[in-house]
Amino acid sequence: MGAVSITAPSPSGPLILRLASITAQTPDSKTLRFIVPNDRKINARPGQFLTFSFLFDGKKLVRSYSICSSPARSGYVEITTKRVSQGCVSLFLNDRAPIGMTVEANGPLVNSASTIRNITTSSYLRLEAGLRP
């Protein structure tokens, strides 16, 4: 497998997103909808993700989550998180995240290893499934 490249964060700085709603998808996963500030727009394409920064007990934890909302919608962005028994951030987002909380995010970013190639000129198609990039 070749090298993986990731695009740089937005030059206008991180986004401050506000949690607007939480929707249960399965017993151990939830979709979180965050409101995007009025002065910012997320021009996300399939396969892109946001990198979130959380502060727990004075320690900064960074996690990446794939964007699962439609690029045709504006004003919000959605991610889906799966509860991981030993995961500090996933437990918080699935069990304790309060509506109205704010979080810092960078992106959208893209992992070039998950880019879909043009099927007509390529003999393969690589898709990655899951709840994270």
Side-chain angles (χ1 to χ4, degrees):
M1 188 175 272
V4 174
S5 65
I6 297 177
T7 62
S10 168
S12 54
L15 296 158
I16 303 299
L17 303 175
R18 183 176 47 84
L19 182 60
S21 67
I22 301 171
T23 305
Q25 300 298 334
T26 68
D28 65 350
S29 66
K30 294 185 179 174
T31 296
L32 290 81
R33 178 178 287 190
F34 292 93
I35 301 300
V36 177
N38 290 337
D39 62 334
R40 302 288 293 273
K41 183 172 176 152
I42 294 181
N43 294 314
R45 294 185 317 269
Q48 290 187 312
F49 60 94
L50 294 172
T51 300
F52 291 81
S53 297
F54 300 92
L55 193 60
F56 290 103
D57 297 327
K59 183 178 176 184
K60 183 177 181 177
L61 300 176
V62 178
R63 299 291 186 271
S64 296
Y65 293 99
S66 296
I67 298 169
C68 63
S69 50
S70 169
R73 303 286 183 185
S74 63
Y76 67 87
V77 64
E78 293 175 327
I79 62 169
T80 298
T81 64
K82 180 178 168 95
R83 181 185 295 108
V84 177
S85 62
Q86 301 300 316
C88 177
V89 174
S90 73
L91 289 173
F92 172 77
L93 292 176
N94 277 277
D95 300 335
R96 298 190 315 268
I99 300 298
M101 78 167 207
T102 57
V103 64
E104 180 181 297
N106 282 292
L109 305 169
V110 63
N111 176 339
S112 66
S114 64
T115 303
I116 297 175
R117 306 251 182 216
N118 183 339
I119 297 173
T120 61
T121 60
S122 180
S123 61
Y124 66 94
L125 173 67
R126 179 177 177 201
L127 296 175
E128 295 182 27
L131 298 174
R132 61 181 188 187

